């Protein structure tokens, strides 16, 4: 994948092995670049739109194969692997303002702890970028689970 600047607009391109452009799209908003800028694109410094994901090659063949077999039990195992301290930190970050003292350190700690949970639960996943990507989705799942518990009064 390539990042191209055309005037004031930046574009992403997905190229085939021979260099031909298979897809191009405008990059808008923040959080598109950087390995942990957005949870849904964590682990990748460059995330194409979901409609183009089927054109990507796996970074971690065994890890990708394992993810294709993931189901409810895998998701439940990942959520169960997240400890109470990490859950509390996720809630703290959800409520925090981005400029609040300690947010950066807490954010880095949560990324690390979620990554460790992914590695324990899915040992087949060995690529650090793929671990970050799964950790980003897990982070959102933990937030949703905590919100659901609060809504139910638990």
């Amino acid at each position: 994948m390539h990042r191209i600047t055309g005037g004031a607009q930046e574009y992403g391109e997905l190229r085939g092995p021979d260099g031909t452009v298979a897809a191009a799209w405008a990059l808008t908003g923040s959080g598109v670049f950087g390995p942990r800028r957005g949870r849904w694109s964590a682990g990748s410094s460059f995330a194409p739109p979901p409609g183009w994901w089927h054109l990507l090659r796996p970074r971690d063949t065994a890890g990708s194969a394992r993810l294709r077999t993931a189901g409810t039990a895998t998701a439940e195992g990942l959520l169960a692997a997240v400890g109470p301290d990490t859950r509390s930190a996720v809630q703290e970050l959800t409520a925090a303002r981005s400029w609040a003292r300690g947010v950066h350190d807490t954010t880095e700690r949560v990324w690390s702890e979620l990554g460790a949970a992914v590695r324990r639960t899915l040992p087949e996943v060995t690529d650090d970028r793929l671990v970050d990507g799964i950790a980003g989705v897990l982070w959102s799942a933990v937030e949703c689970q905590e919100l659901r518990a609060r809504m139910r009064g638990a």
Side-chain angles (χ1 to χ4, degrees), residues 8 17 25-27 40 46-47 49 59 83 86 105 112 121 132 136 139-140 147 149:
W25 61 93
L27 300 172
W40 293 97
F46 190 72
R59 298 181 167 144
T86 304
D105 293 340
S112 178
T121 308
D132 275 349
W139 187 326
S140 293
L147 177 61

Side-chain angles (χ1 to χ4, degrees), residues 4 20 33 36 49 88 92 125 152:
I4 312 247
T20 59
F33 291 95
R36 288 183 174 168
S88 293
E92 175 186 325
V125 178
R152 289 185 169 186

Side-chain angles (χ1 to χ4, degrees), residues 3-145:
R3 180 179 176 178
I4 312 247
T5 302
Q9 178 65 50
E10 292 182 296
Y11 295 88
E13 286 184 347
L14 184 62
R15 294 179 183 225
D18 63 354
T20 59
V21 176
W25 61 93
L27 300 172
T28 58
S30 62
V32 175
F33 291 95
R36 288 183 174 168
R37 290 227 191 268
R39 286 188 223 150
W40 293 97
S41 62
S44 178
S45 60
F46 190 72
W52 299 103
W53 289 357
H54 68 282
L55 296 171
L56 300 175
R57 293 190 184 126
R59 298 181 167 144
D60 177 349
T61 305
S64 293
R66 173 62 179 96
L67 290 175
R68 284 192 293 279
T69 66
T72 302
T74 302
E76 289 171 347
L78 282 165
L79 284 166
V82 178
D85 291 342
T86 304
R87 288 178 179 280
S88 293
V90 166
Q91 286 181 323
E92 175 186 325
L93 289 170
T94 301
R97 299 193 186 276
S98 62
W99 47 264
R101 180 171 292 188
V103 167
H104 176 74
D105 293 340
T106 303
T107 299
E108 289 302 311
R109 182 172 55 85
V110 168
W111 274 114
S112 178
E113 291 169 0
L114 291 174
V118 169
R119 289 181 191 284
R120 284 191 310 273
T121 308
L122 299 170
E124 304 88 348
V125 178
T126 58
D127 186 90
D128 291 338
R129 296 167 298 178
L130 188 53
V131 169
D132 275 349
I134 298 166
V137 175
L138 180 57
W139 187 326
S140 293
V142 168
E143 278 184 340
C144 289
Q145 194 176 47

